[in-house]
Amino acid sequence: LQQRRGLRLSAPATIQVTVRDALNQALDEELERDERVFLLGEEVAQYDGAYKISRGLWKKYGDKRVIDTPISEMGFAGIAVGAAMAGLRPVCEFMTFNFSMQAIDQVINSAAKTCYMSAGSIAVPIVFRGPNGASAGVAAQHSQCFAAWYGHCPGLKVVSPWSAEDAKGLLKASIRDDNPVVVLENELLYGVPFEMSEQAQSKEFVIPIGKAKIERQGTHVTVVAHSRPVGHCIEAAAVLSKEGVECEVINLRTIRPMDIETVEASVVKTNHLVTVEGGWPQFGVGAEICARIMEGPAFNYLDAPAVRVTGADVPMPYAKILEDNCIPQVKDIVFAVKKALNI
């Protein structure tokens, strides 16, 4: 009726988008925007990707822009690094980041170090992306989180998205960056829908690398996480809110460079810190956050020791009950917050 009267109907400001579709949008928009961008990896072309992230892109852009590779991570990662050095902007997909161990020499020695070793004369604008960390029922050799591994290495930028907006904005920023960027996605998030704002639906939407986001305001404790555990932290915060405890949940988004300033400002306000991650505890992302807080001005505002919630310090078991006990759950975060607050 309104349309018949000539009234313009406005589109809804937000829409529901899965992480899979957000990543697909980002790749599509960047392939369209810059002819130097191309995607390569195992089954990314004719099969539309092992997780359907590249659905429709081969049909749209053809063999030169979306390239199926042999099962040889060291080989196709090396080809991608060489292409980046020659002026192209490759997006190199690992079917899982566990397989990136086959190519880690190319990622670190060829990609990460070249700009420094060439005194800035050779840029390596490349993105290494794919699912990272534990999935479900895939055991030890497919469940490792590489955030700490790649976050350890100068010369790399490392991002770890949670929501659909994170996935789209960070992937687009990574493709446009002139440095090697590792994009650590999560397989269990691919099918999860998130609200996407009107701004994020734009083809020019990017999220700056190195900037965390406060997902929930709070006053009693700062809870910092990245990737899938961000959702667990928000769930734990809802449980604790019913008991009068208000958590400030920070979505780290970027592992390197780390936005420690946002964490510090939150700790100054709440006086307590809990870190949550799916990776192993030793030399982990949480350990780095705790060290940076201890070394900086926010340490003087802590009223209690920081508490880390991590994956269990064992290779991932196959059995579901054991797997569940190896990955941080909502109850583990609730327990850690109460420990930090001594309640």
Side-chain angles (χ1 to χ4, degrees), residues 146-223:
F146 282 82
W149 279 50
Y150 289 120
H152 178 66
C153 302
L156 288 178
K157 294 183 179 181
V158 183
V159 302
S160 182
W162 169 58
S163 67
E165 282 197 10
D166 288 352
K168 181 178 180 181
L170 288 171
L171 180 54
K172 286 170 72 73
S174 301
I175 293 171
R176 297 182 187 189
D177 201 287
D178 287 333
N179 298 282
V181 186
V182 172
V183 181
L184 301 173
E185 302 155 11
N186 187 285
E187 180 186 339
L188 296 178
L189 288 175
Y190 282 155
V192 178
F194 288 88
E195 281 196 354
M196 183 174 280
S197 67
E198 196 169 8
Q199 179 191 14
Q201 295 167 44
S202 163
K203 288 187 177 182
E204 292 307 310
F205 174 73
V206 294
I207 291 173
I209 294 173
K211 185 63 181 170
K213 180 185 179 185
I214 298 175
E215 298 286 352
R216 187 186 194 278
Q217 297 283 345
T219 54
H220 295 126
V221 58
T222 298
V223 184

Coordinates of all heavy atoms in Angstrom, one line a residue, residues 146-223:
F146 N 46.9 -21.7 16.4 CA 48.2 -21.2 16.0 C 48.3 -19.7 16.3 O 49.2 -19.0 15.8 CB 48.4 -21.4 14.5 CG 48.8 -22.8 14.2 CD1 47.9 -23.8 14.1 CD2 50.1 -23.1 14.1 CE1 48.2 -25.1 13.9 CE2 50.5 -24.4 13.8 CZ 49.6 -25.4 13.7
A147 N 47.4 -19.1 17.1 CA 47.5 -17.7 17.4 C 48.8 -17.3 18.1 O 49.4 -16.3 17.7 CB 46.3 -17.3 18.3
A148 N 49.2 -18.1 19.1 CA 50.5 -17.9 19.8 C 51.7 -18.1 18.9 O 52.7 -17.3 18.9 CB 50.6 -18.7 21.0
W149 N 51.6 -19.1 18.0 CA 52.7 -19.4 17.1 C 53.0 -18.3 16.2 O 54.1 -17.7 16.1 CB 52.4 -20.7 16.2 CG 52.6 -22.0 16.9 CD1 52.2 -22.4 18.1 CD2 53.3 -23.1 16.3 NE1 52.5 -23.7 18.3 CE2 53.2 -24.2 17.2 CE3 53.9 -23.3 15.1 CZ2 53.7 -25.4 17.0 CZ3 54.4 -24.6 14.9 CH2 54.4 -25.6 15.8
Y150 N 52.0 -17.8 15.4 CA 52.2 -16.8 14.5 C 52.3 -15.4 15.1 O 52.9 -14.5 14.6 CB 51.1 -16.8 13.4 CG 51.3 -18.0 12.5 CD1 50.3 -19.0 12.4 CD2 52.5 -18.2 11.7 CE1 50.5 -20.1 11.5 CE2 52.6 -19.3 10.9 CZ 51.6 -20.3 10.8 OH 51.8 -21.4 10.0
G151 N 51.6 -15.2 16.2 CA 51.7 -14.0 17.0 C 53.1 -13.7 17.5 O 53.4 -12.6 17.9
H152 N 53.9 -14.8 17.6 CA 55.2 -14.7 18.2 C 56.2 -14.0 17.2 O 57.2 -13.5 17.6 CB 55.7 -16.1 18.5 CG 57.1 -16.2 19.0 ND1 57.5 -15.7 20.2 CD2 58.2 -16.8 18.4 CE1 58.8 -16.0 20.4 NE2 59.2 -16.6 19.3
C153 N 55.8 -14.0 15.9 CA 56.8 -13.7 14.8 C 56.7 -12.3 14.3 O 55.7 -11.9 13.7 CB 56.6 -14.7 13.7 SG 56.8 -16.4 14.2
P154 N 57.8 -11.5 14.5 CA 57.8 -10.1 13.9 C 57.8 -10.2 12.3 O 58.4 -11.2 11.8 CB 59.1 -9.5 14.4 CG 59.9 -10.7 14.8 CD 59.0 -11.8 15.2
G155 N 57.1 -9.3 11.7 CA 57.0 -9.3 10.3 C 55.6 -9.8 9.8 O 55.2 -9.5 8.7
L156 N 54.9 -10.5 10.7 CA 53.5 -10.9 10.4 C 52.5 -10.0 11.2 O 52.8 -9.5 12.3 CB 53.3 -12.3 10.9 CG 53.9 -13.5 10.1 CD1 53.6 -14.8 10.8 CD2 53.5 -13.5 8.7
K157 N 51.3 -9.8 10.6 CA 50.1 -9.4 11.3 C 49.2 -10.6 11.5 O 49.1 -11.4 10.6 CB 49.4 -8.2 10.6 CG 50.3 -7.0 10.5 CD 49.6 -5.8 9.8 CE 50.4 -4.6 9.8 NZ 49.7 -3.4 9.2
V158 N 48.5 -10.7 12.6 CA 47.7 -11.8 12.9 C 46.4 -11.4 13.4 O 46.3 -10.7 14.4 CB 48.4 -12.8 13.9 CG1 47.5 -14.0 14.1 CG2 49.8 -13.2 13.5
V159 N 45.3 -11.8 12.7 CA 43.9 -11.4 13.1 C 43.1 -12.7 13.4 O 43.4 -13.7 12.8 CB 43.2 -10.5 12.1 CG1 44.0 -9.3 11.8 CG2 43.0 -11.3 10.8
S160 N 42.2 -12.5 14.3 CA 41.4 -13.7 14.8 C 39.9 -13.2 15.0 O 39.5 -12.8 16.1 CB 42.0 -14.2 16.1 OG 41.3 -15.4 16.5
P161 N 39.1 -13.3 13.9 CA 37.7 -12.7 14.0 C 36.8 -13.6 14.7 O 37.0 -14.8 14.8 CB 37.3 -12.6 12.5 CG 38.2 -13.7 11.8 CD 39.5 -13.7 12.5
W162 N 35.7 -13.0 15.3 CA 34.7 -13.7 16.0 C 33.4 -13.6 15.2 O 32.9 -14.6 14.7 CB 34.5 -13.1 17.4 CG 33.2 -13.6 18.0 CD1 32.9 -14.9 18.3 CD2 32.1 -12.8 18.5 NE1 31.6 -15.0 18.9 CE2 31.1 -13.7 19.1 CE3 31.9 -11.5 18.6 CZ2 29.9 -13.3 19.6 CZ3 30.7 -11.0 19.1 CH2 29.7 -11.9 19.6
S163 N 32.8 -12.4 15.0 CA 31.5 -12.2 14.4 C 31.6 -12.1 12.9 O 32.7 -12.1 12.3 CB 30.9 -10.9 14.9 OG 31.6 -9.8 14.5
A164 N 30.5 -12.0 12.2 CA 30.5 -11.8 10.7 C 31.1 -10.5 10.4 O 31.8 -10.4 9.4 CB 29.0 -11.9 10.2
E165 N 30.8 -9.5 11.1 CA 31.4 -8.1 10.8 C 33.0 -8.2 11.0 O 33.7 -7.7 10.2 CB 30.9 -7.1 11.7 CG 29.5 -6.6 11.3 CD 29.1 -5.2 11.9 OE1 30.0 -4.6 12.5 OE2 27.9 -4.8 11.8
D166 N 33.4 -8.9 12.1 CA 34.9 -9.1 12.2 C 35.4 -9.8 11.0 O 36.5 -9.4 10.5 CB 35.1 -10.0 13.4 CG 34.9 -9.4 14.8 OD1 34.6 -8.1 14.8 OD2 34.9 -10.1 15.8
A167 N 34.8 -10.9 10.6 CA 35.3 -11.7 9.5 C 35.4 -10.9 8.2 O 36.5 -10.9 7.5 CB 34.4 -12.9 9.3
K168 N 34.4 -10.1 7.9 CA 34.4 -9.4 6.6 C 35.4 -8.2 6.7 O 36.2 -8.0 5.9 CB 33.0 -8.8 6.3 CG 32.9 -8.0 5.0 CD 31.6 -7.5 4.7 CE 31.6 -6.7 3.4 NZ 30.3 -6.2 3.0
G169 N 35.3 -7.4 7.8 CA 36.1 -6.2 7.9 C 37.6 -6.5 8.0 O 38.4 -5.8 7.5
L170 N 37.9 -7.6 8.8 CA 39.3 -7.9 9.0 C 39.9 -8.6 7.8 O 41.1 -8.3 7.4 CB 39.5 -8.8 10.2 CG 39.3 -8.1 11.6 CD1 39.2 -9.1 12.7 CD2 40.4 -7.1 11.8
L171 N 39.1 -9.4 7.1 CA 39.7 -10.0 5.8 C 39.9 -9.0 4.8 O 41.0 -9.0 4.1 CB 38.7 -11.1 5.3 CG 39.2 -11.9 4.1 CD1 40.6 -12.4 4.2 CD2 38.2 -13.0 3.7
K172 N 39.0 -8.0 4.6 CA 39.2 -7.0 3.6 C 40.4 -6.1 3.9 O 41.2 -5.8 3.1 CB 37.9 -6.1 3.5 CG 36.8 -6.8 2.8 CD 35.5 -6.1 2.9 CE 35.5 -4.8 2.1 NZ 35.4 -5.1 0.6
A173 N 40.6 -5.8 5.2 CA 41.7 -5.0 5.7 C 43.0 -5.8 5.4 O 44.1 -5.2 5.0 CB 41.6 -4.6 7.1
S174 N 43.0 -7.1 5.6 CA 44.2 -7.9 5.5 C 44.6 -8.0 4.0 O 45.8 -8.0 3.7 CB 43.9 -9.4 6.0 OG 43.5 -9.3 7.4
I175 N 43.6 -8.1 3.1 CA 43.9 -8.2 1.7 C 44.5 -6.9 1.2 O 45.4 -6.9 0.3 CB 42.6 -8.6 0.9 CG1 42.2 -10.0 1.2 CG2 42.9 -8.4 -0.6 CD1 40.9 -10.4 0.7
R176 N 44.1 -5.8 1.7 CA 44.5 -4.5 1.3 C 45.9 -4.1 2.0 O 46.5 -3.1 1.5 CB 43.5 -3.4 1.6 CG 42.2 -3.6 0.9 CD 41.2 -2.5 1.2 NE 39.9 -2.8 0.6 CZ 38.9 -1.9 0.6 NH1 39.0 -0.7 1.1 NH2 37.7 -2.2 0.0
D177 N 46.3 -4.8 3.0 CA 47.5 -4.5 3.7 C 48.7 -4.9 2.9 O 48.7 -5.9 2.2 CB 47.5 -5.2 5.1 CG 48.5 -4.6 6.1 OD1 49.7 -4.7 5.9 OD2 48.0 -3.9 7.0
D178 N 49.8 -4.1 3.0 CA 51.0 -4.4 2.2 C 51.9 -5.4 2.9 O 53.1 -5.7 2.4 CB 51.8 -3.1 1.9 CG 51.1 -2.3 0.8 OD1 50.3 -2.9 0.0 OD2 51.2 -1.1 0.8
N179 N 51.5 -5.9 4.1 CA 52.3 -6.9 4.8 C 51.7 -8.3 4.8 O 50.5 -8.4 4.6 CB 52.5 -6.4 6.3 CG 53.1 -5.1 6.4 OD1 54.4 -5.0 6.3 ND2 52.4 -4.0 6.6
P180 N 52.5 -9.3 5.1 CA 51.9 -10.6 5.3 C 50.9 -10.6 6.5 O 51.3 -10.2 7.6 CB 53.1 -11.6 5.5 CG 54.3 -10.8 5.2 CD 53.9 -9.3 5.4
V181 N 49.7 -11.1 6.3 CA 48.7 -11.2 7.3 C 48.2 -12.6 7.4 O 47.8 -13.3 6.4 CB 47.5 -10.2 7.1 CG1 46.6 -10.2 8.3 CG2 48.0 -8.8 6.8
V182 N 48.1 -13.1 8.7 CA 47.6 -14.5 9.0 C 46.1 -14.2 9.5 O 46.0 -13.5 10.5 CB 48.4 -15.2 10.0 CG1 47.7 -16.5 10.4 CG2 49.8 -15.5 9.4
V183 N 45.1 -14.8 8.8 CA 43.7 -14.7 9.3 C 43.3 -16.0 9.8 O 43.1 -17.0 9.1 CB 42.8 -14.2 8.1 CG1 41.4 -14.1 8.6 CG2 43.3 -12.9 7.5
L184 N 43.1 -16.0 11.1 CA 42.7 -17.3 11.8 C 41.2 -17.3 12.1 O 40.7 -16.7 13.0 CB 43.5 -17.3 13.2 CG 45.0 -17.3 13.1 CD1 45.6 -17.2 14.5 CD2 45.6 -18.5 12.4
E185 N 40.5 -18.1 11.2 CA 39.1 -18.2 11.3 C 38.8 -19.4 12.2 O 39.7 -20.1 12.7 CB 38.5 -18.4 9.9 CG 38.8 -17.3 8.9 CD 38.8 -17.7 7.5 OE1 38.3 -18.8 7.1 OE2 39.3 -16.9 6.6
N186 N 37.5 -19.7 12.4 CA 37.1 -20.8 13.3 C 36.0 -21.6 12.5 O 34.9 -21.0 12.2 CB 36.6 -20.3 14.6 CG 36.3 -21.5 15.6 OD1 35.3 -22.2 15.4 ND2 37.2 -21.7 16.5
E187 N 36.2 -22.8 12.3 CA 35.3 -23.7 11.5 C 33.9 -23.7 12.2 O 32.9 -23.7 11.4 CB 35.9 -25.1 11.4 CG 35.0 -26.1 10.6 CD 35.5 -27.5 10.6 OE1 36.7 -27.7 10.9 OE2 34.7 -28.4 10.4
L188 N 33.9 -23.8 13.5 CA 32.6 -23.9 14.2 C 31.8 -22.6 14.1 O 30.6 -22.6 14.4 CB 32.8 -24.3 15.6 CG 33.4 -25.7 15.8 CD1 33.6 -26.0 17.3 CD2 32.5 -26.8 15.2
L189 N 32.4 -21.5 13.7 CA 31.7 -20.2 13.5 C 31.1 -20.0 12.1 O 30.3 -19.1 11.9 CB 32.6 -19.1 13.9 CG 32.9 -18.9 15.4 CD1 33.9 -17.7 15.5 CD2 31.7 -18.6 16.2
Y190 N 31.6 -20.8 11.1 CA 31.3 -20.5 9.8 C 29.8 -20.5 9.5 O 29.3 -19.6 8.8 CB 31.9 -21.6 8.8 CG 33.3 -21.5 8.6 CD1 34.1 -22.6 8.2 CD2 34.0 -20.2 8.6 CE1 35.5 -22.5 7.9 CE2 35.3 -20.1 8.3 CZ 36.1 -21.2 8.0 OH 37.4 -21.1 7.7
G191 N 29.0 -21.3 10.1 CA 27.6 -21.4 9.9 C 26.8 -20.6 10.9 O 25.5 -20.6 10.9
V192 N 27.4 -19.8 11.8 CA 26.7 -19.0 12.8 C 26.3 -17.7 12.3 O 27.2 -16.9 11.7 CB 27.6 -18.9 14.1 CG1 26.9 -18.0 15.1 CG2 28.0 -20.2 14.6
P193 N 25.0 -17.3 12.4 CA 24.6 -16.0 11.9 C 24.8 -14.9 12.9 O 24.6 -15.1 14.1 CB 23.1 -16.2 11.6 CG 22.7 -17.3 12.5 CD 23.9 -18.1 12.8
F194 N 25.3 -13.7 12.5 CA 25.4 -12.6 13.3 C 24.7 -11.4 12.7 O 24.5 -11.4 11.5 CB 26.9 -12.2 13.5 CG 27.7 -13.1 14.3 CD1 28.3 -14.3 13.8 CD2 27.9 -12.9 15.7 CE1 29.0 -15.1 14.5 CE2 28.6 -13.8 16.5 CZ 29.2 -14.9 15.9
E195 N 24.3 -10.4 13.5 CA 23.8 -9.2 12.9 C 24.9 -8.4 12.2 O 26.0 -8.3 12.8 CB 23.2 -8.3 14.0 CG 21.8 -8.8 14.4 CD 21.0 -7.7 15.2 OE1 21.6 -6.6 15.5 OE2 19.8 -7.9 15.5
M196 N 24.6 -7.9 11.0 CA 25.6 -7.1 10.3 C 25.0 -5.7 10.1 O 23.9 -5.6 9.5 CB 26.0 -7.8 9.0 CG 27.1 -7.0 8.2 SD 27.7 -7.8 6.7 CE 28.8 -9.0 7.4
S197 N 25.7 -4.7 10.5 CA 25.1 -3.4 10.5 C 25.1 -2.9 9.0 O 25.7 -3.4 8.1 CB 26.0 -2.4 11.3 OG 27.3 -2.3 10.7
E198 N 24.3 -1.8 8.8 CA 24.2 -1.2 7.5 C 25.6 -0.7 7.0 O 26.0 -0.9 5.8 CB 23.3 0.0 7.5 CG 22.8 0.5 6.2 CD 21.7 1.5 6.3 OE1 21.4 1.9 7.4 OE2 21.1 1.9 5.3
Q199 N 26.4 -0.2 7.9 CA 27.8 0.2 7.6 C 28.6 -1.0 7.1 O 29.4 -0.9 6.1 CB 28.5 0.9 8.8 CG 29.9 1.3 8.5 CD 30.6 1.7 9.8 OE1 30.1 1.4 10.9 NE2 31.7 2.4 9.7
A200 N 28.5 -2.1 7.7 CA 29.3 -3.3 7.4 C 28.9 -3.9 6.1 O 29.7 -4.7 5.5 CB 29.2 -4.3 8.5
Q201 N 27.7 -3.6 5.6 CA 27.3 -4.1 4.3 C 27.9 -3.4 3.1 O 27.8 -3.8 2.0 CB 25.7 -4.0 4.2 CG 25.0 -4.9 5.2 CD 23.5 -4.6 5.4 OE1 22.8 -4.4 4.4 NE2 23.1 -4.5 6.6
S202 N 28.6 -2.3 3.4 CA 29.2 -1.5 2.3 C 30.4 -2.2 1.8 O 31.2 -2.9 2.5 CB 29.7 -0.1 2.9 OG 30.6 0.5 2.0
K203 N 30.7 -2.0 0.5 CA 31.9 -2.6 -0.1 C 33.2 -2.0 0.4 O 34.3 -2.6 0.2 CB 31.8 -2.5 -1.7 CG 30.8 -3.4 -2.3 CD 30.9 -3.4 -3.8 CE 29.9 -4.3 -4.4 NZ 29.9 -4.3 -5.9
E204 N 33.1 -0.9 1.0 CA 34.3 -0.2 1.5 C 34.5 -0.4 3.0 O 35.4 0.2 3.6 CB 34.3 1.3 1.2 CG 34.4 1.6 -0.3 CD 35.6 0.9 -1.0 OE1 36.7 1.1 -0.4 OE2 35.5 0.2 -2.0
F205 N 33.7 -1.3 3.6 CA 33.8 -1.5 5.1 C 35.1 -2.3 5.4 O 35.3 -3.4 4.8 CB 32.6 -2.3 5.6 CG 32.7 -2.7 7.0 CD1 32.5 -1.8 8.0 CD2 32.9 -4.0 7.3 CE1 32.6 -2.1 9.4 CE2 33.0 -4.4 8.7 CZ 32.8 -3.5 9.7
V206 N 35.9 -1.7 6.2 CA 37.1 -2.5 6.7 C 37.2 -2.2 8.2 O 36.7 -1.2 8.7 CB 38.4 -2.0 6.1 CG1 38.4 -2.4 4.6 CG2 38.7 -0.6 6.2
I207 N 37.8 -3.2 8.9 CA 38.1 -3.0 10.4 C 39.6 -2.8 10.5 O 40.3 -3.7 10.0 CB 37.6 -4.2 11.2 CG1 36.0 -4.3 11.2 CG2 38.1 -4.2 12.6 CD1 35.5 -5.5 11.8
P208 N 40.0 -1.8 11.1 CA 41.5 -1.6 11.3 C 42.2 -2.7 12.0 O 41.7 -3.2 13.0 CB 41.6 -0.3 12.1 CG 40.3 0.4 11.9 CD 39.3 -0.7 11.7
I209 N 43.2 -3.2 11.4 CA 44.0 -4.3 12.1 C 44.7 -3.6 13.3 O 45.3 -2.6 13.2 CB 45.1 -4.8 11.1 CG1 44.4 -5.6 10.0 CG2 46.0 -5.8 11.9 CD1 45.3 -6.1 8.9
G210 N 44.6 -4.3 14.5 CA 45.2 -3.8 15.7 C 44.3 -3.1 16.6 O 44.8 -2.4 17.5
K211 N 43.0 -3.2 16.4 CA 42.0 -2.5 17.2 C 41.0 -3.5 17.8 O 40.3 -4.1 17.1 CB 41.3 -1.4 16.4 CG 40.4 -0.5 17.3 CD 41.2 0.3 18.3 CE 40.2 1.1 19.2 NZ 40.9 1.7 20.3
A212 N 41.0 -3.6 19.2 CA 40.1 -4.5 19.8 C 38.7 -3.8 19.9 O 38.5 -2.6 19.6 CB 40.6 -4.8 21.2
K213 N 37.7 -4.6 20.3 CA 36.3 -4.1 20.4 C 35.7 -4.5 21.8 O 35.8 -5.7 22.1 CB 35.4 -4.6 19.3 CG 34.0 -4.1 19.4 CD 33.1 -4.7 18.3 CE 31.7 -4.2 18.4 NZ 30.8 -4.9 17.4
I214 N 35.1 -3.5 22.5 CA 34.4 -3.9 23.7 C 33.0 -4.4 23.3 O 32.2 -3.6 22.9 CB 34.4 -2.7 24.7 CG1 35.8 -2.2 25.1 CG2 33.5 -3.0 25.9 CD1 35.8 -1.0 25.9
E215 N 32.8 -5.7 23.5 CA 31.5 -6.2 23.1 C 30.4 -6.1 24.2 O 29.2 -6.1 23.9 CB 31.7 -7.8 22.8 CG 32.6 -8.1 21.7 CD 32.0 -7.8 20.3 OE1 30.8 -7.5 20.2 OE2 32.8 -7.9 19.3
R216 N 30.9 -5.9 25.4 CA 29.9 -5.7 26.5 C 30.6 -4.8 27.6 O 31.7 -5.1 28.0 CB 29.5 -7.1 27.1 CG 28.4 -7.0 28.2 CD 28.2 -8.4 28.8 NE 27.0 -8.6 29.5 CZ 26.8 -8.1 30.8 NH1 27.8 -7.5 31.4 NH2 25.7 -8.3 31.4
Q217 N 29.9 -3.8 28.0 CA 30.4 -2.9 29.0 C 30.2 -3.5 30.4 O 29.2 -4.2 30.6 CB 29.7 -1.6 29.0 CG 29.9 -0.8 27.7 CD 31.2 -0.1 27.6 OE1 31.9 0.0 28.6 NE2 31.6 0.3 26.4
G218 N 31.1 -3.3 31.3 CA 31.0 -3.9 32.6 C 31.9 -3.1 33.6 O 32.7 -2.3 33.2
T219 N 31.7 -3.3 34.9 CA 32.4 -2.6 35.9 C 33.3 -3.4 36.9 O 34.1 -2.9 37.6 CB 31.4 -1.7 36.7 OG1 30.4 -2.6 37.2 CG2 30.8 -0.7 35.9
H220 N 33.0 -4.7 36.9 CA 33.6 -5.5 38.0 C 34.9 -6.3 37.5 O 35.8 -6.5 38.3 CB 32.6 -6.5 38.6 CG 31.5 -5.8 39.3 ND1 30.2 -6.1 38.9 CD2 31.5 -4.9 40.2 CE1 29.4 -5.3 39.7 NE2 30.1 -4.6 40.5
V221 N 34.9 -6.7 36.3 CA 36.0 -7.5 35.8 C 36.2 -7.4 34.3 O 35.2 -7.4 33.6 CB 35.9 -9.0 36.2 CG1 34.6 -9.6 35.7 CG2 37.1 -9.9 35.8
T222 N 37.4 -7.4 33.8 CA 37.7 -7.3 32.4 C 37.9 -8.8 31.9 O 38.8 -9.5 32.5 CB 38.9 -6.5 32.1 OG1 38.7 -5.1 32.5 CG2 39.3 -6.5 30.6
V223 N 37.2 -9.2 30.9 CA 37.4 -10.5 30.3 C 37.8 -10.4 28.8 O 37.1 -9.8 28.1 CB 36.1 -11.4 30.4 CG1 36.3 -12.8 29.9 CG2 35.6 -11.4 31.8

